[in-house]
Amino acid sequence: AKCSKGKEDDCLLIWRTTVPGHPDCIKHAEPSSSLDEMEEIIRVNGSNHHWNEFSHQNELVLNTWRQHTNLSYEVMDAYHVNILRPDLHTPPKDCLHTCLPDDDTYSWLLHHMLRVKYSNLKS
């Protein structure tokens, strides 16, 4: 496979962690500074959509990849970026997606990951 270990320059496989929504996102006008607080809100109120399981599911995927794959990969940790941003939703209808104009967080993360990966390659 082109992405196998030892051939990392051939491709870059990036897996983005899954991010839960924020129950009652309409109540949040500012970012949170507490991971524990946001995870507790999601644990108590996010079971209808299984949001409370996303952190565990992310760990299951990462552990499986670490133990059972020969692929070279990078992880874009969206979970810890977005869980602290309950204010980035368009309530009251969508407390899962961050759909605000000018929010190009993932573009910046991807750009950074590509620069780190490929800036030191010899031409």
Side-chain angles (χ1 to χ4, degrees), residues 66-83:
R66 285 182 199 116
Q67 296 173 12
H68 302 290
T69 187
N70 288 334
L71 295 178
S72 175
Y73 63 90
E74 297 289 334
V75 177
M76 182 184 293
D77 187 2
Y79 181 88
H80 290 97
V81 170
N82 273 46
I83 198 166

Side-chain angles (χ1 to χ4, degrees), residues 88-90 94 96-103:
L88 288 181
H89 301 288
T90 52
D94 191 350
L96 174 61
H97 302 97
T98 53
C99 307
L100 299 179
D102 300 325
D103 177 27

Side-chain angles (χ1 to χ4, degrees), residues 10-122:
D10 291 343
C11 67
L12 179 60
L13 173 63
I14 298 174
W15 181 68
R16 186 192 75 111
T17 55
T18 304
V19 180
H22 294 89
D24 298 320
C25 63
I26 197 165
K27 296 178 182 177
H28 300 277
E30 297 179 352
S32 173
S33 60
S34 173
L35 177 64
D36 292 336
E37 176 189 359
M38 288 293 101
E39 286 186 330
E40 180 65 13
I41 290 170
I42 292 164
R43 187 188 67 75
V44 171
N45 301 310
S47 62
N48 288 347
H49 305 291
H50 301 281
W51 292 342
N52 56 321
E53 299 172 13
F54 285 12
S55 178
H56 176 69
Q57 291 170 351
N58 287 333
E59 285 303 315
L60 286 174
V61 171
L62 291 172
N63 287 335
T64 299
W65 282 21
R66 285 182 199 116
Q67 296 173 12
H68 302 290
T69 187
N70 288 334
L71 295 178
S72 175
Y73 63 90
E74 297 289 334
V75 177
M76 182 184 293
D77 187 2
Y79 181 88
H80 290 97
V81 170
N82 273 46
I83 198 166
L84 297 175
R85 296 305 308 261
D87 58 315
L88 288 181
H89 301 288
T90 52
K93 293 183 180 183
D94 191 350
C95 288
L96 174 61
H97 302 97
T98 53
C99 307
L100 299 179
D102 300 325
D103 177 27
D104 54 358
T105 302
Y106 295 122
S107 297
W108 282 102
L109 288 172
L110 178 61
H111 183 256
H112 173 74
M113 293 175 86
L114 292 171
R115 286 188 57 102
V116 167
K117 175 73 175 175
Y118 294 111
S119 65
N120 294 326
L121 289 181
K122 295 177 182 173

